[in-house]
Amino acid sequence: MKGLDYRWLAALDAIVHQKSFEKAAEQLCITQSAVSQRIKQLEKLVAQPLLIREQPPKPTETGKKLLSLYQKVKLLEQETFPELDLTAINRPLVVSLAVNADSLATWFLPAISPLLENNNIELNLLVEDETRTLLKLKNGEVVGALSTHEKPMVGCECTYLGDVVYRCVASPSFVDKYFKQGVTREAIMRAPAVSFDQHDEMHQQYLFETFGLSAGEWIKHTVRSSESFVFLSKRGVAYSLIPEIQVKDELTSGELVDISPEHTIIRPLYWHHWALESDILAKMTEQIINHSRSTFAS
């Protein structure tokens, strides 16, 4: 874009990530007035507002597009500068990704760990439900995302990784306490479950389709950790929907049992990333695809 000053984009990025003009000024080591001036100049250039002035400030749709552009430029600069600038050799390459908690707890870190071991990378993982991770990519906060959505965004590519099978599990003691007479609608209303957060649509969908229960008609513990799902289930505190690959050993040993084997949930998983990739992102994409497919195929 003719006349675009990337210091203006840096100010926009700092405001969104620091959630205030004041903290953005501290990060950039300039005055708050200078931050405001840079945003005004950028908005004047594109002839439209780029921030919704609320607390915290949020980017407009155009602001999101510019933030995405800025993230791409930063990544490409960081990869290129070590060859051009000796002072940047030891500077790590910052890579931000959006992943779901289940993938993070099972296969994702083993997939990318070889890349982390052999490259100077500073990894920043944003953990969200797999139905909402794509918003992080759209907003320019990350360069890649795991998602259940199959349609790529403009300027991005999407690759199918495999199907994640979810099973509804509980400990034998929990089954004996709550489901001695079977997994009925009445029993499910009394038995505590585990939910990831208020946006956990999968468990709600499972209960509605299987038992006709709506939100508020069942008991749940809200825990933002996939590993905690397994822990609480094994301790007999609750039942939960867990990826089969995460509890294979427990199901085999009988430490956990599938309380509703006829009602498994299958969710496809996709890797979304920029179409214009840097060398590091291309390698990361290759490792993610190869490792995930071997994981889900087994």
Side-chain angles (χ1 to χ4, degrees), residues 94-112:
V94 180
V95 178
S96 297
L97 306 173
V99 302
N100 59 313
D102 294 333
S103 294
L104 186 59
T106 51
W107 65 271
F108 188 75
L109 288 180
I112 65 171

Side-chain angles (χ1 to χ4, degrees), residues 12-13 15-19 57-59 63-72 74-75 94-99 122-128 132-145 153 274:
L12 179 64
D13 181 73
I15 291 167
V16 171
H17 286 90
Q18 296 298 325
K19 303 186 185 301
K58 294 180 181 178
K64 292 174 183 177
K65 291 178 182 178
L66 287 175
L67 286 171
S68 180
L69 169 65
Y70 182 62
Q71 292 295 328
K72 293 176 184 178
K74 279 205 307 181
L75 187 62
V94 180
V95 178
S96 297
L97 306 173
V99 302
E122 184 177 299
L123 185 65
N124 178 33
L125 293 181
L126 305 185
V127 183
E128 284 284 357
R132 302 194 307 279
T133 47
L134 212 55
L135 290 174
K136 300 294 183 182
L137 186 62
K138 181 181 179 182
N139 294 347
E141 296 178 62
V142 300
V143 299
M153 299 186 304
W274 293 336

